[in-house]
Amino acid sequence: MASYETLQKLRENPQWIPPRSDTRVFLGEPGGPEGAKTTVEPGNSFSPGMATFGITWWVRFPQDNKFFSPDLADIEELKWSFEQGFLPVIHCDVDISPISVHHSLFQDGTSETLSEAVCGKIDLVNNGEKEKEISLFLVLRSLGPAGGPVTDLRVGEDKKSFWLPKRNIPLLGVDQVPNKIGCGVGDPSESARAGQIQCAPTAEDKAGWVYGVMQFDLVLKPSEQWALCFDAPIQSYGVVPEELPGLQTLRP
């Protein structure tokens, strides 16, 4: 259930895409602390730890202005399952004709070394008979399954990651440089729908409504495949710096 503040903000901004809040599962190390579990909603939108921000993905087709968000899709559209029915790798398959999306998510690392991280891969395949232009958005925002605020954010020096500036710890990294990357205040829902993402290298908002967005512009030929890998260190550690200092690192 979203907090009162979140519900109020969504009422004030009906153009924002809300988190699903209908079904959730949890990924994590067996026996590990509850606060270090990954909260996942259908479509593999997730929060990397208790009371942390959300990370989701959206797809836009510039040629016909078609837009898809797993946060808004009917749950029947999302083929959502664990690896072999029970292993702690969760997959989401969805057809956004003519593009098929396969999204895999798991949590790696151990609580003993405070090294837990959410790792994922998004595969896109063009099943059509013509080239297809696609924009994939990977979004970090205060709206998410675990509903945690983001008060400040900056783009990493590598131009393919987001960091918490005041404590200099990574929040999200990817394996290739996006066409556009940046931060803002509010939510990027409206600008992503319009294909007009304009963001700054840093953003700050004491109320906790900062976002970060990466945009990948692709042209896939028939049968061509493209993949993006990402890494999001669990953020529960370091919430109270004096007690649990942040040890987050991005993996290869």
Side-chain angles (χ1 to χ4, degrees):
M1 178 65 71
S3 68
Y4 172 80
E5 291 78 11
T6 296
L7 293 174
Q8 182 67 28
K9 198 72 173 178
L10 288 170
R11 281 193 289 267
E12 295 170 1
N13 299 274
Q15 75 277 17
W16 291 8
I17 296 176
R20 296 189 63 97
S21 300
D22 54 1
T23 305
R24 293 183 180 128
V25 299
F26 298 89
L27 299 176
E29 177 191 9
E34 293 300 314
K37 296 292 194 289
T38 302
T39 311
V40 191
E41 291 185 341
N44 282 359
S45 297
F46 69 93
S47 291
M50 180 178 64
T52 62
F53 49 84
I55 294 175
T56 190
W57 59 277
W58 304 328
V59 170
R60 181 176 181 272
F61 298 101
Q63 292 162 312
D64 52 17
N65 204 30
K66 181 179 178 182
F67 183 85
F68 176 86
S69 165
D71 309 289
L72 298 175
D74 292 337
I75 197 168
E76 292 78 14
E77 294 182 57
L78 307 171
K79 299 176 182 177
W80 200 44
S81 62
F82 283 108
E83 176 79 15
Q84 298 182 25
F86 68 95
L87 294 177
V89 180
I90 193 164
H91 302 290
C92 176
D93 290 280
V94 59
D95 288 321
I96 317 168
S97 184
I99 302 299
S100 64
V101 181
H102 179 76
H103 188 307
S104 298
L105 197 69
F106 67 98
Q107 184 170 311
D108 197 10
T110 68
S111 57
E112 182 179 354
T113 58
L114 308 185
S115 63
E116 298 104 314
V118 189
C119 306
K121 183 180 181 184
I122 304 175
D123 282 289
L124 305 180
V125 179
N126 183 0
N127 294 317
E129 298 179 352
K130 299 180 180 179
E131 284 188 346
K132 193 67 177 178
E133 292 184 27
I134 310 160
S135 291
L136 172 73
F137 301 94
L138 189 62
V139 185
L140 186 160
R141 58 192 192 139
S142 297
L143 296 168
V150 184
T151 57
D152 56 325
L153 196 66
R154 71 170 173 86
V155 175
E157 294 180 2
D158 58 4
K159 304 301 181 184
K160 58 179 183 177
S161 60
F162 291 120
W163 291 67
L164 188 63
K166 293 178 181 177
R167 300 181 53 215
N168 197 37
I169 56 176
L171 306 186
L172 174 67
V174 296
D175 66 344
Q176 50 195 295
V177 177
N179 296 87
K180 296 180 182 179
I181 181 172
C183 313
V185 176
D187 191 73
S189 306
E190 197 169 14
S191 56
R193 288 179 191 268
Q196 297 176 346
I197 291 292
Q198 293 184 356
C199 302
T202 64
E204 184 173 354
D205 178 43
K206 293 182 179 179
W209 294 104
V210 170
Y211 69 81
V213 59
M214 303 180 186
Q215 179 177 333
F216 300 86
D217 296 322
L218 317 168
V219 177
L220 294 185
K221 298 178 181 178
S223 301
E224 187 176 2
Q225 180 179 2
W226 178 89
L228 175 73
C229 294
F230 61 84
D231 178 58
I234 291 292
Q235 295 298 321
S236 300
Y237 301 113
V239 174
V240 183
E242 298 79 8
E243 298 179 9
L244 290 170
L247 301 175
Q248 293 87 343
T249 59
L250 292 173
R251 297 154 189 249

